[in-house]
Amino acid sequence: MTAYGGRPDQARRDAITVEIGYALFSAAFAAAVLFGAVAGPALLFDLPDTLERVLIRLGLGMAPVLFAARVISVLTRFHQHTAQQTTQPSQPGRTNPDS
């Protein structure tokens, strides 16, 4: 999937762009759901002040961690998938393309 000089061609750049977008949007969605699940009760119900602060701070602390973990896992999985595709021999069963 490389063109002249080892630079990625347009299809590879498009695949990378789509994968980065997917990683960011899915991570943002997962972080928002986690924040809503943890801090939501504190925002919706009349809870004691200490419990409200704990839940909101816990949600604010966990959401960025989940966001980063999701982005890293998606992009790592994509990198591993593309690395497997490029290391396969061009002709199955042969170790050298000139054989």
Side-chain angles (χ1 to χ4, degrees):
M1 291 187 99
T2 59
Y4 308 103
R7 298 174 71 193
D9 60 0
Q10 187 63 40
R12 176 116 171 100
R13 286 192 304 255
D14 290 346
I16 291 169
T17 302
V18 168
E19 200 65 24
I20 290 171
Y22 169 71
L24 292 174
F25 283 116
S26 68
F29 179 76
V33 168
L34 176 75
F35 178 77
V38 173
L43 300 172
L44 291 175
F45 302 115
D46 188 25
L47 299 175
D49 290 338
T50 306
L51 184 58
E52 282 184 9
R53 279 187 299 228
V54 167
L55 288 176
I56 291 173
R57 287 182 182 165
L58 188 62
L60 286 173
M62 292 173 60
V65 172
L66 177 65
F67 180 87
R70 177 69 181 161
V71 168
I72 291 168
S73 70
V74 169
L75 295 180
T76 302
R77 192 175 322 132
F78 175 73
H79 176 69
Q80 289 172 351
H81 177 70
T82 57
Q84 288 174 353
Q85 288 180 343
T86 58
T87 59
Q88 293 178 350
S90 59
Q91 298 172 346
R94 296 184 181 177
T95 58
N96 187 354
D98 295 332
S99 61

